[in-house]
Amino acid sequence: MNICVFLSAADLDERYTAPARDFAALLGKSGHTLVWGGSDTGLMKVVADGVQEAGGRLVGVSVDFLAHKARPNADQMVIAGNLAERKALLLAKSDAIVVMVGGTGTLDEATEILELKKHGKHSKPVVLLNTAGFYDGLKTQFRRMEEEGFLPLPLTDLAFFADDGPTALAYLEAGIGSR
């Protein structure tokens, strides 16, 4: 399975890097391909290292103004002309999406993917990996949106919140396997 992971390129605390490293090893050992933003920095590097060390493949989609940070030894690297093209390519190259911890860029990617899913533009499973409760506030907001009629479909059809990597991967493998 090609699993797109949206995540930060920042150097982060061990409470985020250790679970990311574990999830990456799980992806690689399971024979999955990481599709990610292509950067060889921060948490993006941690995950790419973990997948590659565990025998998984790497498909990166960088963007022109970040091409100098692209991982040199990825199995495939595409350089998009802008962020919109990058997001479209990441979605097109993946079977499923995992949203890990990140900042505004990660949130932008996650909300666009969820908006496209809401409108039926894709049916790929989306998991928010809620490491250390990072997405608790977002989960509360999504529940409010659902309760107050802002979501045209149940939140459970839109996204799955997983507290750890094994739960996230099990959800994805079950969802892809049932298609």
Side-chain angles (χ1 to χ4, degrees):
M1 178 172 16
N2 292 340
I3 300 175
C4 176
V5 177
F6 293 126
L7 71 166
S8 180
D11 292 319
L12 299 171
D13 186 82
E14 188 68 13
R15 70 183 164 147
Y16 298 121
T17 56
R21 195 174 299 109
D22 292 345
F23 181 66
L26 190 59
L27 286 183
K29 286 176 187 168
S30 299
H32 300 299
T33 296
L34 172 68
V35 179
W36 93 118
S39 289
D40 202 31
T41 60
L43 198 61
M44 283 193 184
K45 179 178 176 16
V46 168
V47 170
D49 287 348
V51 169
Q52 201 167 49
E53 288 165 9
R57 292 186 72 249
L58 302 179
V59 174
V61 182
S62 189
V63 66
D64 59 0
F65 64 89
L66 294 175
H68 65 284
K69 294 184 178 187
R71 188 177 184 97
N73 66 341
D75 295 289
Q76 179 185 359
M77 184 63 66
V78 177
I79 307 297
N82 57 54
L83 291 172
E85 181 184 342
R86 180 193 206 187
K87 287 183 285 189
L89 286 167
L90 286 164
L91 180 61
K93 292 180 175 292
S94 65
D95 301 309
I97 296 97
V98 174
V99 181
M100 297 180 78
V101 297
T104 55
T106 303
L107 189 58
D108 170 63
E109 292 161 340
T111 54
E112 181 164 330
I113 292 300
L114 292 172
E115 186 68 8
L116 290 169
K117 187 170 183 179
K118 182 182 91 174
H119 290 290
K121 299 300 181 186
H122 77 86
S123 60
K124 298 172 185 183
V126 178
V127 174
L128 284 99
L129 189 47
N130 195 22
T131 303
F134 188 81
Y135 286 118
D136 285 349
L138 186 59
K139 188 176 188 179
T140 298
Q141 185 62 45
F142 279 141
R143 284 184 177 152
R144 181 175 180 180
M145 289 175 184
E146 181 179 38
E147 290 165 4
E148 296 186 17
F150 289 95
L151 300 180
L153 56 130
L155 178 56
T156 54
D157 290 352
L158 194 60
F160 177 76
F161 285 80
D163 290 329
D164 57 49
T167 303
L169 188 57
Y171 174 82
L172 293 178
E173 289 176 339
I176 296 294
S178 68
R179 290 171 132 189

